[in-house]
Amino acid sequence: MKLVIAAVRYQFLGFFKNARVVLTFLLGIVICFLLSGRVMETIGQYQTSIQAVEPFLWTFVDAAAVLLMSLLLIFLFSDVPKLNAFTPFYLVRMTKKKWLAAQFLYIAGCTCLYVLFIMASTTLLCMKHAFPGNMWSRTAALLGYSGAGNHLHIPSTVKVMESISPYGCMAQVFMLMLGYSLTLAFLILLGNLVLDKKYGMLLSIGYSLYGFLLDPSVLGRLLGVEDYEMYRIRSIVGWISPLNHAVYGMHDFGYDNLPALWQSMGLF
């Protein structure tokens, strides 16, 4: 284990001095700012406070937002596994399995750090109007009970507020995003190791494109499905699309024939 940890520490040397890493995190802030615009607009409209994690929940329980967030990981992990002049020295002193375990831990650590950074950025952008208590805000209640959330494309619904606390919901959304992001990152590693550097990028882009094309609204328009038949599309896509498994609202809360949260995490 000491050898594995030493290899992971080496992978993180100069992490925040790497231009690719810095650009990825800066673009993450830009995406958070753009996507949280509707949340800040709603706060200004209602002139009410919000719970600290609600901006994160309202921003990243949307398939397009999760997809945009994850696409930056393709850029971040385009060079994994990192092969340089020191790699043969590590392979001489440890087995290939230990070296591969270090790659796994490095990717998992980077992904956790990135998702935590995205969550913190979204929260900090709206912190002027936020409170830390573990209770849904008046803004969430107004959006949920009036139905205005659907009009503004903010998924604050009564069934969510009645079933779980804000921090509990945050943990579930975080784990779904992390599961999807780790799957994407390990696909890049698989393609780069087994095939070639460019194939890791192609696998990850194909994975993202597959999720985008299986978005219920996109698929419904492509197939010309009527509105009253869309529930069938949502049910099927909810099970076969990895991107929809990462969307909190595309799960079964006792009303729909959709996967449960534990089933999505098991799939990832």
Side-chain angles (χ1 to χ4, degrees):
M1 201 61 201
K2 288 182 179 179
L3 291 173
V4 173
I5 293 173
V8 173
R9 288 178 61 190
Y10 173 73
Q11 294 279 64
F12 274 104
L13 284 178
F15 183 73
F16 288 108
K17 295 180 181 179
N18 189 325
R20 182 186 288 106
V21 174
V22 173
L23 186 59
T24 299
F25 280 82
L26 287 177
L27 288 173
I29 295 176
V30 173
I31 287 178
C32 289
F33 177 76
L34 294 175
L35 293 178
S36 60
R38 59 187 176 183
V39 177
M40 291 187 279
E41 178 185 343
T42 304
I43 296 170
Q45 178 182 349
Y46 287 101
Q47 293 295 313
T48 52
S49 61
I50 58 170
Q51 207 279 336
V53 299
E54 283 177 355
F56 170 71
L57 300 179
W58 296 344
T59 302
F60 289 103
V61 289
D62 177 72
V66 175
L67 181 62
L68 280 174
M69 183 277 300
S70 63
L71 284 176
L72 291 180
L73 291 175
I74 300 176
F75 182 64
L76 181 63
F77 292 125
S78 61
D79 62 338
V80 293
K82 292 184 177 180
L83 303 176
N84 52 37
F86 293 98
T87 303
F89 293 96
Y90 272 92
L91 291 173
V92 167
R93 289 163 175 78
M94 64 171 65
T95 63
K96 284 188 287 186
K97 289 182 180 179
K98 292 177 182 177
W99 180 81
L100 191 59
Q103 304 302 314
F104 287 165
L105 288 177
Y106 168 73
I107 289 175
C110 287
T111 307
C112 287
L113 185 64
Y114 175 71
V115 177
L116 282 170
F117 176 80
I118 292 294
M119 182 174 69
S121 298
T122 311
T123 302
L124 289 173
L125 285 169
C126 304
M127 68 178 297
K128 183 179 178 181
H129 305 280
F131 64 90
N134 192 20
M135 58 182 292
W136 295 103
S137 68
R138 188 162 175 255
T139 306
L142 287 169
L143 292 172
Y145 286 95
S146 68
N150 293 329
H151 176 68
L152 296 169
H153 303 290
I154 294 177
S156 174
T157 59
V158 177
K159 63 183 179 182
V160 172
M161 289 189 286
E162 290 180 346
S163 62
I164 194 169
S165 65
Y167 286 116
C169 186
M170 177 204 70
Q172 292 180 344
V173 173
F174 176 84
M175 291 304 296
L176 289 172
M177 287 176 60
L178 184 62
Y180 180 81
S181 301
L182 282 173
T183 309
L184 177 68
F186 285 129
L187 273 177
I188 299 173
L189 179 65
L190 175 67
N192 289 349
L193 278 176
V194 177
L195 300 170
D196 191 28
K197 283 285 185 181
K198 62 180 180 181
Y199 288 102
M201 296 283 287
L202 291 175
L203 273 177
S204 58
I205 292 172
Y207 178 72
S208 301
L209 184 62
Y210 173 74
F212 171 74
L213 291 176
L214 285 182
D215 182 88
S217 57
V218 174
L219 197 60
R221 286 196 297 268
L222 289 175
L223 298 177
V225 177
E226 299 292 338
D227 290 341
Y228 67 89
E229 292 182 319
M230 280 300 294
Y231 76 94
R232 295 180 180 176
I233 297 292
R234 291 190 187 94
S235 179
I236 295 170
V237 167
W239 284 97
I240 65 174
S241 169
L243 180 59
N244 281 279
H245 276 282
V247 177
Y248 185 77
M250 290 294 293
H251 288 84
D252 189 2
F253 297 97
Y255 302 92
D256 307 300
N257 184 27
L258 292 168
L261 290 167
W262 66 268
Q263 291 172 322
S264 293
M265 288 306 303
L267 177 68
F268 289 135

